[in-house]
Amino acid sequence: MLLRRPSALFWACILSACALFSLPQLHAEDEPAESSSPAQTEEKPVSFYKQIVPIFQANCYGCHQPAKAQGEYEMTSFANLLKGGATELVAITPGQPDESNLLDLIIPMEGETEAEMPKGKPALSEAEVALIRTWITQGAVDDTPENRLAKFDMDHPPVYSRPPVITSLDISPQGDLIAIAGFHEVLLVNPQGEIVARLIGMSERINSVHFDPEGKRLVATGGLPARLGEIQVWDVENRKLLLSKTVTHDTLFGGNWSPDGKLISFGCTDNTVRAINAETGEQVLFQGAHEDWVRDTVFSHDGSHLISAGRDMTCKLTEVATERFVDNITSITPGVLKGGVGAVARHPERDEIVVGSADGIPKVYRVHRLTKRVIGDDANLIRQFPGMMGRIQAVSVSADGKRIVAGSALAGKGAVHVYSYEFDTALPEDLKKILEKVAGSRNAEENKKVDEYRSRDVKQIAAVPVDSSGIYAIDFFPDGSK
Protein backbone atom coordinates (compact mmCIF):
# COMPACT_ATOMS: atom_id res chain seq x y z
CA MET A 1 0.00 0.00 0.00
CA LEU A 2 1.33 3.38 -0.97
CA LEU A 3 0.67 6.62 0.90
CA ARG A 4 1.07 10.13 -0.36
CA ARG A 5 1.40 13.18 1.88
CA PRO A 6 0.62 16.63 0.45
CA SER A 7 3.81 18.13 1.82
CA ALA A 8 6.36 16.00 -0.04
CA LEU A 9 6.83 13.91 -3.17
CA PHE A 10 7.47 10.63 -1.39
CA TRP A 11 5.84 7.27 -0.75
CA ALA A 12 5.86 5.03 2.23
CA CYS A 13 4.68 1.53 2.95
CA ILE A 14 2.31 0.57 5.74
CA LEU A 15 2.00 -3.07 6.70
CA SER A 16 2.61 -5.86 4.38
CA ALA A 17 -0.88 2.30 2.27
CA CYS A 18 -14.56 28.23 -7.14
CA ALA A 19 -27.41 50.86 -12.90
CA LEU A 20 -28.62 51.07 -15.33
CA PHE A 21 -27.29 54.67 -15.52
CA SER A 22 -29.84 56.75 -17.38
CA LEU A 23 -29.03 60.12 -18.81
CA PRO A 24 -31.70 62.84 -19.01
CA GLN A 25 -33.67 62.32 -22.17
CA LEU A 26 -32.99 64.89 -24.86
CA HIS A 27 -35.77 65.90 -27.16
CA ALA A 28 -35.25 66.86 -30.73
CA GLU A 29 -36.38 70.36 -30.08
CA ASP A 30 -34.04 70.70 -27.09
CA GLU A 31 -30.81 69.41 -28.65
CA PRO A 32 -29.91 69.07 -32.31
CA ALA A 33 -28.50 65.71 -33.39
CA GLU A 34 -24.76 65.58 -33.86
CA SER A 35 -22.85 63.25 -36.09
CA SER A 36 -20.69 60.72 -34.31
CA SER A 37 -17.04 61.56 -34.04
CA PRO A 38 -14.35 59.01 -34.96
CA ALA A 39 -13.62 58.51 -31.26
CA GLN A 40 -17.25 57.55 -30.64
CA THR A 41 -17.32 54.87 -33.35
CA GLU A 42 -13.93 53.39 -32.62
CA GLU A 43 -14.17 49.75 -31.58
CA LYS A 44 -13.25 48.80 -28.06
CA PRO A 45 -9.91 46.94 -27.96
CA VAL A 46 -10.28 43.17 -27.81
CA SER A 47 -8.23 41.53 -25.07
CA PHE A 48 -6.21 38.52 -26.21
CA TYR A 49 -5.83 37.17 -22.67
CA LYS A 50 -9.40 37.74 -21.48
CA GLN A 51 -11.41 37.17 -24.67
CA ILE A 52 -9.39 35.25 -27.26
CA VAL A 53 -7.46 32.77 -25.11
CA PRO A 54 -10.64 31.27 -23.55
CA ILE A 55 -11.95 30.51 -27.08
CA PHE A 56 -8.69 28.81 -28.02
CA GLN A 57 -8.53 26.92 -24.72
CA ALA A 58 -12.00 25.48 -25.10
CA ASN A 59 -11.77 24.61 -28.78
CA CYS A 60 -8.16 24.38 -29.98
CA TYR A 61 -5.57 23.71 -27.29
CA GLY A 62 -6.53 20.05 -26.96
CA CYS A 63 -4.92 19.28 -30.32
CA HIS A 64 -2.45 22.17 -30.59
CA GLN A 65 -0.37 22.21 -27.42
CA PRO A 66 3.27 21.25 -26.77
CA ALA A 67 2.36 17.69 -25.76
CA LYS A 68 0.25 17.17 -28.89
CA ALA A 69 0.90 19.64 -31.70
CA GLN A 70 -1.21 18.30 -34.56
CA GLY A 71 -0.21 19.66 -37.94
CA GLU A 72 2.94 20.93 -36.20
CA TYR A 73 0.85 23.85 -34.97
CA GLU A 74 1.25 24.80 -31.31
CA MET A 75 -1.10 27.53 -30.13
CA THR A 76 -0.22 27.96 -26.45
CA SER A 77 2.93 29.92 -27.32
CA PHE A 78 2.08 33.34 -28.76
CA ALA A 79 4.98 33.28 -31.24
CA ASN A 80 3.95 29.85 -32.52
CA LEU A 81 0.29 30.90 -32.62
CA LEU A 82 1.16 33.64 -35.10
CA LYS A 83 3.60 31.56 -37.11
CA GLY A 84 1.43 28.61 -38.00
CA GLY A 85 2.15 24.92 -38.52
CA ALA A 86 3.33 22.52 -41.19
CA THR A 87 2.04 24.62 -44.09
CA GLU A 88 3.92 27.66 -45.30
CA LEU A 89 0.88 29.85 -44.69
CA VAL A 90 1.11 32.35 -41.86
CA ALA A 91 -1.59 31.69 -39.26
CA ILE A 92 -2.03 35.28 -38.10
CA THR A 93 -0.79 38.46 -39.75
CA PRO A 94 -1.36 41.34 -37.30
CA GLY A 95 -3.62 44.00 -38.79
CA GLN A 96 -4.45 41.89 -41.86
CA PRO A 97 -7.27 39.40 -41.24
CA ASP A 98 -7.58 38.55 -44.93
CA GLU A 99 -3.93 37.42 -44.90
CA SER A 100 -4.42 35.29 -41.78
CA ASN A 101 -4.85 31.59 -42.58
CA LEU A 102 -6.36 30.88 -39.17
CA LEU A 103 -9.57 32.66 -40.15
CA ASP A 104 -9.88 30.55 -43.31
CA LEU A 105 -9.68 27.42 -41.16
CA ILE A 106 -12.33 28.43 -38.61
CA ILE A 107 -14.91 29.88 -41.04
CA PRO A 108 -17.13 27.33 -42.84
CA MET A 109 -16.99 27.46 -46.64
CA GLU A 110 -20.04 28.80 -48.42
CA GLY A 111 -22.88 26.31 -48.17
CA GLU A 112 -21.18 24.35 -45.40
CA THR A 113 -22.11 24.21 -41.71
CA GLU A 114 -18.80 22.90 -40.41
CA ALA A 115 -15.39 24.53 -40.63
CA GLU A 116 -12.09 22.75 -41.12
CA MET A 117 -11.20 23.64 -37.56
CA PRO A 118 -11.78 22.81 -34.78
CA LYS A 119 -11.60 19.30 -36.17
CA GLY A 120 -14.40 17.02 -35.06
CA LYS A 121 -16.14 19.80 -33.14
CA PRO A 122 -18.93 22.25 -33.96
CA ALA A 123 -17.76 25.38 -35.75
CA LEU A 124 -17.07 28.46 -33.68
CA SER A 125 -20.01 30.80 -33.36
CA GLU A 126 -20.24 33.87 -35.58
CA ALA A 127 -19.64 36.02 -32.50
CA GLU A 128 -16.44 34.13 -31.65
CA VAL A 129 -15.13 34.37 -35.21
CA ALA A 130 -15.97 38.08 -35.30
CA LEU A 131 -14.09 38.61 -32.04
CA ILE A 132 -10.99 36.86 -33.40
CA ARG A 133 -11.18 38.86 -36.64
CA THR A 134 -11.48 42.14 -34.74
CA TRP A 135 -8.51 41.21 -32.54
CA ILE A 136 -6.39 40.50 -35.62
CA THR A 137 -7.58 43.71 -37.31
CA GLN A 138 -6.56 45.68 -34.23
CA GLY A 139 -3.03 44.35 -34.48
CA ALA A 140 -3.20 40.96 -32.72
CA VAL A 141 -1.76 42.37 -29.51
CA ASP A 142 -0.67 40.02 -26.74
CA ASP A 143 -1.81 41.52 -23.42
CA THR A 144 -1.07 38.45 -21.32
CA PRO A 145 0.00 39.51 -17.78
CA GLU A 146 3.64 38.90 -16.90
CA ASN A 147 2.75 36.40 -14.20
CA ARG A 148 0.89 34.26 -16.75
CA LEU A 149 3.66 34.06 -19.32
CA ALA A 150 5.33 30.96 -17.86
CA LYS A 151 4.79 27.95 -20.14
CA PHE A 152 5.59 24.36 -19.28
CA ASP A 153 6.40 21.49 -21.62
CA MET A 154 8.72 18.47 -21.75
CA ASP A 155 11.69 20.78 -22.37
CA HIS A 156 10.63 23.29 -19.73
CA PRO A 157 9.22 21.29 -16.80
CA PRO A 158 7.84 22.89 -13.64
CA VAL A 159 10.35 23.82 -10.95
CA TYR A 160 9.05 23.29 -7.43
CA SER A 161 10.01 25.85 -4.79
CA ARG A 162 8.19 23.74 -2.22
CA PRO A 163 6.53 20.30 -2.28
CA PRO A 164 3.09 20.46 -3.94
CA VAL A 165 -0.12 19.02 -2.56
CA ILE A 166 -0.46 15.52 -3.99
CA THR A 167 -4.14 15.11 -4.75
CA SER A 168 -4.00 11.64 -6.32
CA LEU A 169 -1.80 8.64 -7.03
CA ASP A 170 -2.27 5.27 -8.67
CA ILE A 171 -0.11 2.16 -9.00
CA SER A 172 -0.02 0.35 -12.34
CA PRO A 173 -1.54 -3.16 -12.50
CA GLN A 174 1.97 -4.56 -12.93
CA GLY A 175 3.24 -2.68 -9.89
CA ASP A 176 6.19 -1.20 -11.78
CA LEU A 177 5.03 2.42 -11.94
CA ILE A 178 3.38 4.92 -9.62
CA ALA A 179 1.52 7.85 -11.17
CA ILE A 180 1.50 10.96 -8.96
CA ALA A 181 -0.49 14.14 -9.56
CA GLY A 182 1.76 17.20 -9.63
CA PHE A 183 1.64 20.81 -10.78
CA HIS A 184 1.07 20.98 -14.56
CA GLU A 185 2.19 17.35 -14.79
CA VAL A 186 1.86 13.72 -13.83
CA LEU A 187 5.00 12.17 -12.41
CA LEU A 188 5.78 8.53 -13.16
CA VAL A 189 7.87 7.04 -10.36
CA ASN A 190 9.27 3.53 -9.95
CA PRO A 191 8.85 1.54 -6.70
CA GLN A 192 12.31 2.72 -5.61
CA GLY A 193 11.07 6.31 -5.61
CA GLU A 194 12.94 7.44 -8.74
CA ILE A 195 11.18 9.72 -11.23
CA VAL A 196 11.23 7.99 -14.63
CA ALA A 197 9.00 10.38 -16.62
CA ARG A 198 7.17 13.69 -16.37
CA LEU A 199 3.95 13.90 -18.40
CA ILE A 200 3.37 17.62 -18.89
CA GLY A 201 0.11 18.77 -20.40
CA MET A 202 -2.09 21.84 -20.46
CA SER A 203 -3.79 21.50 -17.06
CA GLU A 204 -2.10 23.37 -14.24
CA ARG A 205 -4.00 21.38 -11.63
CA ILE A 206 -4.24 17.57 -11.74
CA ASN A 207 -6.94 16.21 -9.44
CA SER A 208 -6.89 12.50 -10.26
CA VAL A 209 -4.76 9.92 -12.06
CA HIS A 210 -5.65 6.36 -13.00
CA PHE A 211 -4.03 3.60 -15.09
CA ASP A 212 -6.27 1.67 -17.46
CA PRO A 213 -6.96 -2.02 -16.68
CA GLU A 214 -3.90 -3.10 -18.73
CA GLY A 215 -1.58 -0.39 -17.47
CA LYS A 216 -0.91 0.88 -21.00
CA ARG A 217 -2.73 4.20 -20.73
CA LEU A 218 -3.17 6.76 -18.00
CA VAL A 219 -6.06 9.17 -17.52
CA ALA A 220 -5.53 12.46 -15.70
CA THR A 221 -8.38 14.80 -14.82
CA GLY A 222 -7.86 18.43 -13.90
CA GLY A 223 -7.84 21.72 -15.73
CA LEU A 224 -7.38 25.44 -15.30
CA PRO A 225 -9.38 26.52 -12.23
CA ALA A 226 -12.39 28.70 -13.09
CA ARG A 227 -11.47 28.50 -16.79
CA LEU A 228 -11.80 24.95 -18.11
CA GLY A 229 -11.66 21.28 -17.23
CA GLU A 230 -9.52 18.78 -19.11
CA ILE A 231 -9.26 15.03 -19.53
CA GLN A 232 -5.81 13.82 -20.59
CA VAL A 233 -5.11 10.29 -21.87
CA TRP A 234 -1.44 9.28 -22.06
CA ASP A 235 0.38 6.43 -23.76
CA VAL A 236 2.41 5.26 -20.77
CA GLU A 237 5.19 3.45 -22.62
CA ASN A 238 5.82 6.17 -25.20
CA ARG A 239 5.04 9.11 -22.86
CA LYS A 240 2.73 10.48 -25.55
CA LEU A 241 -0.50 12.44 -25.11
CA LEU A 242 -3.21 10.51 -26.95
CA LEU A 243 -6.21 12.67 -26.11
CA SER A 244 -6.93 16.06 -24.58
CA LYS A 245 -10.62 16.73 -24.05
CA THR A 246 -11.83 20.02 -22.60
CA VAL A 247 -15.12 19.98 -20.67
CA THR A 248 -16.94 22.66 -18.62
CA HIS A 249 -15.44 25.87 -17.20
CA ASP A 250 -13.66 24.48 -14.14
CA THR A 251 -11.43 21.62 -13.09
CA LEU A 252 -12.59 18.00 -13.23
CA PHE A 253 -12.40 15.23 -10.64
CA GLY A 254 -12.40 11.46 -10.18
CA GLY A 255 -11.42 10.16 -13.61
CA ASN A 256 -11.77 6.39 -13.95
CA TRP A 257 -11.86 3.63 -16.58
CA SER A 258 -14.60 1.20 -17.47
CA PRO A 259 -13.54 -2.45 -16.96
CA ASP A 260 -13.00 -2.90 -20.72
CA GLY A 261 -10.97 0.30 -20.99
CA LYS A 262 -13.30 1.83 -23.57
CA LEU A 263 -14.90 4.57 -21.47
CA ILE A 264 -13.64 7.20 -19.03
CA SER A 265 -15.87 8.64 -16.32
CA PHE A 266 -15.35 11.86 -14.35
CA GLY A 267 -17.09 14.38 -12.13
CA CYS A 268 -17.64 18.10 -12.69
CA THR A 269 -18.18 21.23 -10.64
CA ASP A 270 -21.41 21.92 -12.53
CA ASN A 271 -22.90 19.02 -10.50
CA THR A 272 -22.80 16.59 -13.43
CA VAL A 273 -21.15 13.21 -13.89
CA ARG A 274 -20.06 12.30 -17.42
CA ALA A 275 -18.33 9.61 -19.44
CA ILE A 276 -16.51 9.83 -22.76
CA ASN A 277 -15.19 7.42 -25.36
CA ALA A 278 -11.55 6.88 -24.39
CA GLU A 279 -10.39 6.90 -28.02
CA THR A 280 -12.36 9.76 -29.54
CA GLY A 281 -13.38 11.87 -26.55
CA GLU A 282 -17.05 11.71 -27.61
CA GLN A 283 -19.41 12.15 -24.68
CA VAL A 284 -21.51 9.02 -24.12
CA LEU A 285 -23.02 9.69 -20.68
CA PHE A 286 -24.41 12.78 -18.96
CA GLN A 287 -26.18 12.71 -15.62
CA GLY A 288 -27.30 15.77 -13.71
CA ALA A 289 -28.94 14.30 -10.64
CA HIS A 290 -26.34 15.55 -8.15
CA GLU A 291 -26.90 18.80 -6.26
CA ASP A 292 -23.23 19.67 -5.69
CA TRP A 293 -19.79 18.92 -7.13
CA VAL A 294 -19.10 15.33 -8.18
CA ARG A 295 -15.78 14.36 -6.60
CA ASP A 296 -15.22 10.72 -7.59
CA THR A 297 -16.49 8.00 -9.92
CA VAL A 298 -16.13 4.25 -10.45
CA PHE A 299 -17.82 1.75 -12.78
CA SER A 300 -19.67 -1.35 -11.63
CA HIS A 301 -17.89 -4.68 -11.98
CA ASP A 302 -19.36 -5.40 -15.43
CA GLY A 303 -19.28 -1.77 -16.58
CA SER A 304 -23.05 -1.55 -17.00
CA HIS A 305 -23.45 1.11 -14.32
CA LEU A 306 -21.55 4.14 -13.06
CA ILE A 307 -21.23 5.13 -9.41
CA SER A 308 -20.63 8.79 -8.59
CA ALA A 309 -19.80 10.43 -5.26
CA GLY A 310 -20.65 14.06 -4.55
CA ARG A 311 -20.44 16.90 -2.09
CA ASP A 312 -24.23 16.61 -1.82
CA MET A 313 -23.65 13.72 0.65
CA THR A 314 -24.72 11.00 -1.78
CA CYS A 315 -23.41 8.22 -3.97
CA LYS A 316 -25.61 7.79 -7.03
CA LEU A 317 -26.09 4.96 -9.54
CA THR A 318 -26.48 5.58 -13.28
CA GLU A 319 -27.13 3.06 -16.06
CA VAL A 320 -24.46 3.60 -18.70
CA ALA A 321 -26.31 2.47 -21.83
CA THR A 322 -29.38 4.65 -21.21
CA GLU A 323 -27.73 7.44 -19.14
CA ARG A 324 -30.62 6.89 -16.72
CA PHE A 325 -30.25 7.85 -13.08
CA VAL A 326 -31.30 4.71 -11.21
CA ASP A 327 -31.11 5.39 -7.49
CA ASN A 328 -29.18 6.73 -4.55
CA ILE A 329 -26.87 4.03 -3.22
CA THR A 330 -26.47 5.89 0.05
CA SER A 331 -29.44 7.12 2.05
CA ILE A 332 -31.37 10.18 0.90
CA THR A 333 -32.53 10.85 4.45
CA PRO A 334 -31.14 14.11 5.85
CA GLY A 335 -28.63 13.54 8.61
CA VAL A 336 -27.74 9.94 7.74
CA LEU A 337 -24.61 11.12 5.96
CA LYS A 338 -23.13 14.09 7.74
CA GLY A 339 -20.79 15.43 5.08
CA GLY A 340 -19.90 15.42 1.40
CA VAL A 341 -18.57 12.21 -0.12
CA GLY A 342 -15.03 12.71 -1.44
CA ALA A 343 -13.81 9.22 -2.33
CA VAL A 344 -15.19 5.89 -3.52
CA ALA A 345 -13.55 2.57 -4.43
CA ARG A 346 -15.12 -0.68 -5.65
CA HIS A 347 -14.44 -4.25 -4.56
CA PRO A 348 -12.45 -5.95 -7.37
CA GLU A 349 -14.98 -8.77 -7.85
CA ARG A 350 -18.27 -7.64 -6.32
CA ASP A 351 -20.59 -4.67 -6.78
CA GLU A 352 -19.77 -3.20 -3.38
CA ILE A 353 -18.18 0.16 -2.75
CA VAL A 354 -16.14 1.69 0.04
CA VAL A 355 -17.24 5.26 0.70
CA GLY A 356 -15.18 7.97 2.37
CA SER A 357 -16.89 11.18 3.44
CA ALA A 358 -16.57 14.21 5.68
CA ASP A 359 -18.01 12.37 8.68
CA GLY A 360 -14.76 10.39 8.93
CA ILE A 361 -16.46 6.96 9.03
CA PRO A 362 -15.50 4.50 6.24
CA LYS A 363 -18.51 2.56 5.04
CA VAL A 364 -19.17 -0.38 2.71
CA TYR A 365 -22.32 -0.17 0.56
CA ARG A 366 -24.09 -2.60 -1.73
CA VAL A 367 -24.38 -1.03 -5.20
CA HIS A 368 -27.69 -2.62 -6.25
CA ARG A 369 -30.67 -2.39 -3.90
CA LEU A 370 -32.07 -5.66 -2.52
CA THR A 371 -34.88 -4.08 -0.51
CA LYS A 372 -37.79 -1.85 -1.34
CA ARG A 373 -37.22 1.82 -0.62
CA VAL A 374 -38.74 3.18 2.58
CA ILE A 375 -38.54 6.50 4.39
CA GLY A 376 -35.45 6.84 6.54
CA ASP A 377 -33.66 3.78 5.15
CA ASP A 378 -29.97 3.25 4.58
CA ALA A 379 -30.61 -0.30 3.45
CA ASN A 380 -27.59 -0.64 1.14
CA LEU A 381 -25.16 -0.05 4.03
CA ILE A 382 -23.29 -3.31 4.72
CA ARG A 383 -20.61 -2.31 7.24
CA GLN A 384 -19.25 0.78 8.88
CA PHE A 385 -15.83 0.99 10.50
CA PRO A 386 -14.36 2.89 13.46
CA GLY A 387 -14.20 6.58 12.69
CA MET A 388 -11.09 8.53 11.70
CA MET A 389 -9.81 11.95 12.61
CA GLY A 390 -11.11 14.58 10.19
CA ARG A 391 -12.47 14.08 6.69
CA ILE A 392 -11.72 11.01 4.64
CA GLN A 393 -9.93 12.12 1.48
CA ALA A 394 -8.95 8.77 -0.09
CA VAL A 395 -9.98 5.10 0.03
CA SER A 396 -8.71 1.99 -1.72
CA VAL A 397 -9.39 -1.76 -1.81
CA SER A 398 -6.58 -4.28 -2.25
CA ALA A 399 -6.46 -6.31 -5.48
CA ASP A 400 -7.46 -9.48 -3.63
CA GLY A 401 -10.39 -7.73 -1.98
CA LYS A 402 -9.22 -8.55 1.54
CA ARG A 403 -8.13 -5.12 2.79
CA ILE A 404 -9.47 -1.56 2.87
CA VAL A 405 -7.34 1.50 3.49
CA ALA A 406 -8.53 5.05 4.13
CA GLY A 407 -6.66 8.33 4.54
CA SER A 408 -7.97 11.43 6.30
CA ALA A 409 -6.96 15.03 6.97
CA LEU A 410 -7.77 17.69 9.54
CA ALA A 411 -5.99 20.95 10.43
CA GLY A 412 -2.63 19.96 8.97
CA LYS A 413 -2.65 16.44 10.42
CA GLY A 414 -3.80 13.12 9.04
CA ALA A 415 -4.31 9.43 9.65
CA VAL A 416 -4.22 6.13 7.80
CA HIS A 417 -6.47 3.24 8.84
CA VAL A 418 -6.38 -0.28 7.44
CA TYR A 419 -9.38 -2.58 7.83
CA SER A 420 -10.15 -6.20 7.05
CA TYR A 421 -12.61 -6.84 4.21
CA GLU A 422 -12.93 -10.55 4.99
CA PHE A 423 -16.54 -10.74 6.09
CA ASP A 424 -19.77 -12.11 4.66
CA THR A 425 -21.70 -9.35 2.87
CA ALA A 426 -24.85 -11.36 2.12
CA LEU A 427 -28.11 -9.85 3.38
CA PRO A 428 -30.02 -12.30 5.64
CA GLU A 429 -33.72 -12.59 4.92
CA ASP A 430 -34.78 -11.67 8.47
CA LEU A 431 -32.67 -8.51 8.30
CA LYS A 432 -34.11 -7.67 4.87
CA LYS A 433 -37.59 -7.62 6.38
CA ILE A 434 -36.44 -5.31 9.15
CA LEU A 435 -34.76 -2.93 6.69
CA GLU A 436 -37.98 -2.67 4.70
CA LYS A 437 -39.71 -1.16 7.69
CA VAL A 438 -39.80 2.62 8.12
CA ALA A 439 -36.86 3.41 10.40
CA GLY A 440 -39.03 5.01 13.08
CA SER A 441 -41.30 1.96 13.28
CA ARG A 442 -38.60 -0.56 14.23
CA ASN A 443 -38.46 -1.72 17.81
CA ALA A 444 -35.34 -1.75 19.96
CA GLU A 445 -34.57 -5.40 19.22
CA GLU A 446 -34.80 -4.83 15.46
CA ASN A 447 -32.54 -1.80 15.62
CA LYS A 448 -30.07 -3.86 17.63
CA LYS A 449 -30.03 -6.54 14.91
CA VAL A 450 -29.31 -3.91 12.25
CA ASP A 451 -26.47 -2.44 14.29
CA GLU A 452 -25.00 -5.88 14.99
CA TYR A 453 -25.07 -6.77 11.29
CA ARG A 454 -23.28 -3.57 10.30
CA SER A 455 -20.53 -4.08 12.89
CA ARG A 456 -20.16 -7.86 12.58
CA ASP A 457 -16.57 -9.06 11.97
CA VAL A 458 -15.34 -5.48 11.64
CA LYS A 459 -11.61 -5.48 12.29
CA GLN A 460 -9.24 -2.54 12.25
CA ILE A 461 -5.79 -3.85 11.38
CA ALA A 462 -3.82 -0.65 11.80
CA ALA A 463 -4.20 3.02 12.66
CA VAL A 464 -1.27 5.25 11.82
CA PRO A 465 -1.34 8.94 12.83
CA VAL A 466 0.50 11.44 10.62
CA ASP A 467 1.34 14.59 12.54
CA SER A 468 3.06 16.49 9.76
CA SER A 469 0.28 16.62 7.16
CA GLY A 470 -3.07 15.29 5.98
CA ILE A 471 -3.42 12.23 3.75
CA TYR A 472 -5.03 12.97 0.38
CA ALA A 473 -4.00 10.00 -1.79
CA ILE A 474 -3.51 6.33 -1.02
CA ASP A 475 -3.26 2.97 -2.82
CA PHE A 476 -2.23 -0.69 -2.51
CA PHE A 477 0.44 -2.41 -4.57
CA PRO A 478 -1.18 -5.09 -6.77
CA ASP A 479 0.46 -7.96 -4.87
CA GLY A 480 -0.94 -6.64 -1.60
CA SER A 481 2.46 -6.54 0.08
CA LYS A 482 2.44 -2.75 0.51
Side-chain angles (χ1 to χ4, degrees):
M1 180 180 65
L2 191 79
L3 310 180
R4 271 292 178 268
R5 302 182 184 181
S7 60
L9 286 175
F10 75 95
W11 60 272
C13 299
I14 291 191
L15 301 182
S16 321
C18 164
L20 179 61
F21 179 76
S22 58
L23 293 172
Q25 292 186 348
L26 299 178
H27 298 280
E29 62 270 25
D30 299 328
E31 188 81 19
E34 294 184 4
S35 60
S36 299
S37 66
Q40 291 175 316
T41 60
E42 184 178 341
E43 287 183 299
K44 183 179 178 180
V46 174
S47 169
F48 172 71
Y49 179 70
K50 294 180 179 180
Q51 296 172 274
I52 304 302
V53 167
I55 297 174
F56 291 160
Q57 284 177 336
N59 298 280
C60 311
Y61 282 6
C63 296
H64 301 285
Q65 56 174 290
K68 188 182 181 183
Q70 290 189 356
E72 300 179 25
Y73 187 31
E74 192 267 291
M75 299 178 68
T76 63
S77 160
F78 189 79
N80 291 336
L81 170 67
L82 299 184
K83 183 172 61 175
T87 68
E88 296 182 357
L89 299 175
V90 176
I92 296 173
T93 302
Q96 302 181 52
D98 293 336
E99 301 299 324
S100 300
N101 186 50
L102 177 68
L103 285 175
D104 292 335
L105 297 176
I106 63 176
I107 297 175
M109 297 182 66
E110 188 174 352
E112 299 289 336
T113 58
E114 293 186 2
E116 187 173 345
M117 293 294 170
K119 191 173 183 179
K121 291 185 175 183
L124 300 183
S125 68
E126 292 183 4
E128 289 172 324
V129 172
L131 202 63
I132 295 171
R133 173 180 285 276
T134 300
W135 171 69
I136 295 174
T137 303
Q138 293 175 350
V141 176
D142 181 8
D143 62 349
T144 304
E146 286 293 329
N147 63 350
R148 290 290 182 179
L149 289 175
K151 300 294 182 182
F152 302 102
D153 55 34
M154 297 297 187
D155 298 322
H156 306 90
V159 177
Y160 296 91
S161 58
R162 64 182 64 185
V165 173
I166 297 174
T167 54
S168 178
L169 64 85
D170 192 42
I171 302 172
S172 67
Q174 297 78 18
D176 59 339
L177 286 174
I178 305 159
I180 301 171
F183 173 71
H184 261 291
E185 67 179 340
V186 177
L187 300 167
L188 294 183
V189 180
N190 63 25
Q192 291 73 45
E194 302 166 330
I195 297 175
V196 298
R198 304 177 71 172
L199 309 180
I200 303 171
M202 177 172 59
S203 293
E204 66 184 39
R205 176 171 295 177
I206 304 295
N207 288 323
S208 69
V209 292
H210 228 102
F211 287 98
D212 76 357
E214 296 182 349
K216 295 182 178 180
R217 294 170 296 171
L218 179 81
V219 63
T221 60
L224 306 175
R227 285 167 282 169
L228 62 82
E230 184 194 21
I231 296 286
Q232 299 173 0
V233 179
W234 293 87
D235 178 333
V236 174
E237 181 179 0
N238 298 308
R239 322 303 196 220
K240 180 182 178 182
L241 183 63
L242 300 176
L243 177 70
S244 170
K245 173 74 173 180
T246 56
V247 184
T248 78
H249 299 288
D250 208 339
T251 51
L252 307 176
F253 298 89
N256 218 326
W257 297 85
S258 61
D260 60 8
K262 294 182 179 180
L263 302 180
I264 296 170
S265 60
F266 54 94
C268 310
T269 61
D270 63 359
N271 307 345
T272 64
V273 58
R274 311 185 191 208
I276 61 172
N277 182 299
E279 296 288 336
T280 66
E282 177 188 3
Q283 183 171 287
V284 297
L285 182 147
F286 179 98
Q287 183 256 86
H290 280 278
E291 296 180 358
D292 209 330
W293 293 12
V294 180
R295 293 296 307 276
D296 206 358
T297 67
V298 66
F299 284 88
S300 63
H301 182 254
D302 63 1
S304 63
H305 290 76
L306 180 63
I307 299 109
S308 51
R311 296 199 315 185
D312 58 358
M313 297 186 262
T314 68
C315 284
K316 298 184 184 295
L317 186 65
T318 303
E319 189 176 50
V320 174
T322 63
E323 306 179 62
R324 178 178 64 92
F325 167 58
V326 177
D327 197 5
N328 273 16
I329 297 171
T330 53
S331 175
I332 63 170
T333 303
V336 172
L337 285 178
K338 296 179 175 61
V341 182
V344 61
R346 180 179 50 78
H347 187 282
E349 300 297 332
R350 303 193 296 266
D351 276 337
E352 298 167 4
I353 56 173
V354 178
V355 174
S357 59
D359 64 4
I361 302 174
K363 301 180 180 73
V364 175
Y365 277 88
R366 188 175 292 105
V367 170
H368 300 286
R369 177 178 286 275
L370 300 179
T371 62
K372 67 179 181 181
R373 177 184 286 281
V374 295
I375 297 173
D377 82 346
D378 200 15
N380 291 333
L381 177 60
I382 299 172
R383 294 290 189 279
Q384 63 182 34
F385 299 95
M388 304 180 68
M389 176 193 71
R391 295 172 174 159
I392 298 175
Q393 304 288 348
V395 293
S396 184
V397 181
S398 61
D400 60 7
K402 294 182 178 181
R403 297 289 183 269
I404 294 168
V405 64
S408 68
L410 177 67
K413 296 182 179 182
V416 174
H417 286 192
V418 182
Y419 307 96
S420 171
Y421 203 165
E422 297 184 89
F423 46 77
D424 182 10
T425 59
L427 180 63
E429 280 299 318
D430 62 333
L431 192 66
K432 180 179 178 181
K433 293 178 181 178
I434 294 174
L435 291 173
E436 288 182 338
K437 289 186 176 182
V438 176
S441 67
R442 300 171 193 160
N443 59 41
E445 184 179 349
E446 290 171 333
N447 284 329
K448 183 179 178 181
K449 284 186 177 181
V450 172
D451 293 339
E452 287 177 346
Y453 167 74
R454 290 172 175 171
S455 61
R456 185 183 305 161
D457 300 323
V458 166
K459 296 178 182 178
Q460 181 171 305
I461 299 172
V464 181
V466 181
D467 294 331
S468 58
S469 65
I471 300 297
Y472 296 89
I474 200 162
D475 200 9
F476 285 97
F477 273 87
D479 62 6
S481 62
K482 304 173 184 177

